[in-house]
Amino acid sequence: MSLKVIPKIPAFLTRPITMPPYRWTIFLVFWGTLVGVLAFSGWYAWFSWHRYEQDSEYRLTLESDMVATVAQKLLDGHASGLRFLAVQLQRADALHHLRRARTLLLDYQKATSNIVSANLIAPSGQVIASTTAPVGAPLPNFRNNPAIWPAFQKGIQTPGMGIYHPLRGPLVGHWVIPLRYTIFSSAGKPLFVVTTPLRFRGIGGFLSHLPLRTGTAVGLIRSDFYIEGRWPVPQNNLSKMLAHPVSAEGALRQALQRDPHARHGTYAGTVAVGDHTYRFGAFTRLSIAFPVLRTA
């Protein structure tokens, strides 16, 4: 015969849980307050970050507009200067008076900062006169340079000042940004071309003097995504940056392609220029309308 032992459960474990009404009130107030504080903190953090982003976008857009305005004035100045030089060369009948042509080119180079040379070129591509060589010295024909000739052919058919993408200047041997101005006859036929290549590092120097915050990178990029100028200038890979358009994977290029007619815009992501750094930035498109000259 066996006896079954039934353990005795303490009374406090079987007693129903009760809580005075005021404790329920304190409990609900506590948790309600905690949830409210957490919700408010989350909203405030989101609001603060959103406001910070808006302020950053606004500030970057202002800085971008400032750079665009200064760069536009710089290019407009070169366009006016080239137009004036072209008129002087036309009046001097420069195609048939090479010494007079070279004197005008030299005077223009001395009076204009950041250009490395001034050149008079026939529509055939033959350089007629240049500040890089005395009269009578052999000069190249751009028709024989596959890196220049296609863009030159296209450019001489376009009125006003044209800006080529960076290249190693055949007359100076380092990276330049050629500016081109074509003189047309009244019938619309190109008579001659004036080119004044800008030093690429001169563009970088110009950008470096703008009042920008520490850590800011600024640059000029063409509609075909070649870099025309940047500050700071990347070290040890300048040729890689200038010889090809920027990568299609970069955030800036994607933003520009996403809305090709937008005057302003912002972007965020890795920029495939220079050091491939994550950046939050803004862009402003420049006008490319320059004065046009046609002669009889």
Side-chain angles (χ1 to χ4, degrees), residues 10-83:
F12 73 90
L13 294 178
T14 60
R15 186 183 306 126
I17 299 174
T18 60
M19 183 178 293
Y22 73 89
R23 289 191 177 180
W24 270 111
T25 303
I26 295 174
F27 178 81
L28 293 175
V29 169
F30 171 77
W31 285 106
T33 302
L34 180 61
V35 171
V37 168
L38 292 175
F40 176 79
S41 298
W43 172 84
Y44 185 76
W46 173 86
F47 176 80
S48 298
W49 176 251
H50 185 63
R51 183 65 179 270
Y52 172 78
E53 281 190 326
Q54 288 182 322
D55 290 345
S56 297
E57 287 182 5
Y58 178 72
R59 184 174 63 251
L60 287 168
T61 300
L62 287 180
E63 291 179 345
S64 179
D65 284 348
M66 177 197 65
V67 174
T69 299
V70 175
Q72 187 71 58
K73 288 183 178 180
L74 174 71
L75 295 175
D76 288 344
H78 279 290
S80 297
L82 270 173
R83 182 178 184 276

Side-chain angles (χ1 to χ4, degrees), residues 52-120:
Y52 172 78
E53 281 190 326
Q54 288 182 322
D55 290 345
S56 297
E57 287 182 5
Y58 178 72
R59 184 174 63 251
L60 287 168
T61 300
L62 287 180
E63 291 179 345
S64 179
D65 284 348
M66 177 197 65
V67 174
T69 299
V70 175
Q72 187 71 58
K73 288 183 178 180
L74 174 71
L75 295 175
D76 288 344
H78 279 290
S80 297
L82 270 173
R83 182 178 184 276
F84 175 78
L85 175 60
V87 170
Q88 297 303 309
L89 290 168
Q90 174 70 10
R91 289 176 177 173
D93 191 18
L95 293 176
H96 301 98
H97 298 86
L98 298 187
R99 292 187 182 278
R100 189 181 307 170
R102 188 169 184 275
T103 298
L104 289 171
L105 294 173
L106 283 169
D107 289 343
Y108 182 79
Q109 182 178 353
K110 291 176 183 177
T112 309
S113 61
N114 288 328
I115 68 171
V116 295
S117 66
N119 314 286
L120 178 65

Side-chain angles (χ1 to χ4, degrees), residues 40-224:
F40 176 79
S41 298
W43 172 84
Y44 185 76
W46 173 86
F47 176 80
S48 298
W49 176 251
H50 185 63
R51 183 65 179 270
Y52 172 78
E53 281 190 326
Q54 288 182 322
D55 290 345
S56 297
E57 287 182 5
Y58 178 72
R59 184 174 63 251
L60 287 168
T61 300
L62 287 180
E63 291 179 345
S64 179
D65 284 348
M66 177 197 65
V67 174
T69 299
V70 175
Q72 187 71 58
K73 288 183 178 180
L74 174 71
L75 295 175
D76 288 344
H78 279 290
S80 297
L82 270 173
R83 182 178 184 276
F84 175 78
L85 175 60
V87 170
Q88 297 303 309
L89 290 168
Q90 174 70 10
R91 289 176 177 173
D93 191 18
L95 293 176
H96 301 98
H97 298 86
L98 298 187
R99 292 187 182 278
R100 189 181 307 170
R102 188 169 184 275
T103 298
L104 289 171
L105 294 173
L106 283 169
D107 289 343
Y108 182 79
Q109 182 178 353
K110 291 176 183 177
T112 309
S113 61
N114 288 328
I115 68 171
V116 295
S117 66
N119 314 286
L120 178 65
I121 308 170
S124 64
Q126 178 63 52
V127 179
I128 299 172
S130 174
T131 58
T132 62
V135 175
L139 293 169
N141 190 321
F142 289 164
R143 183 186 294 272
N144 302 323
N145 190 326
I148 297 177
W149 180 241
F152 180 85
Q153 280 185 299
K154 182 178 179 180
I156 62 173
Q157 302 301 325
T158 306
M161 186 180 77
I163 307 172
Y164 293 102
H165 64 72
L167 53 83
R168 285 193 176 277
L171 298 173
V172 294
H174 54 79
W175 285 101
V176 297
I177 301 170
L179 305 181
R180 178 267 314 152
Y181 200 99
T182 306
I183 287 287
F184 291 89
S185 68
S186 58
K189 183 178 180 180
L191 298 177
F192 63 83
V193 182
V194 183
T195 65
T196 53
L198 296 174
R199 295 179 180 87
F200 178 81
R201 293 191 179 274
I203 294 293
F206 151 73
L207 294 173
S208 72
H209 288 93
L210 296 175
L212 301 173
R213 289 167 296 126
T214 303
T216 300
V218 60
L220 302 175
I221 187 170
R222 292 165 51 92
S223 58
D224 58 4

Side-chain angles (χ1 to χ4, degrees), residues 61 64-70 72 256 259-266 282-288:
T61 300
S64 179
D65 284 348
M66 177 197 65
V67 174
T69 299
V70 175
Q72 187 71 58
L256 293 170
D259 195 349
H261 302 294
R263 169 71 175 165
H264 304 275
T266 58
F283 66 83
T284 301
R285 281 190 168 88
L286 276 67
S287 167
I288 56 172

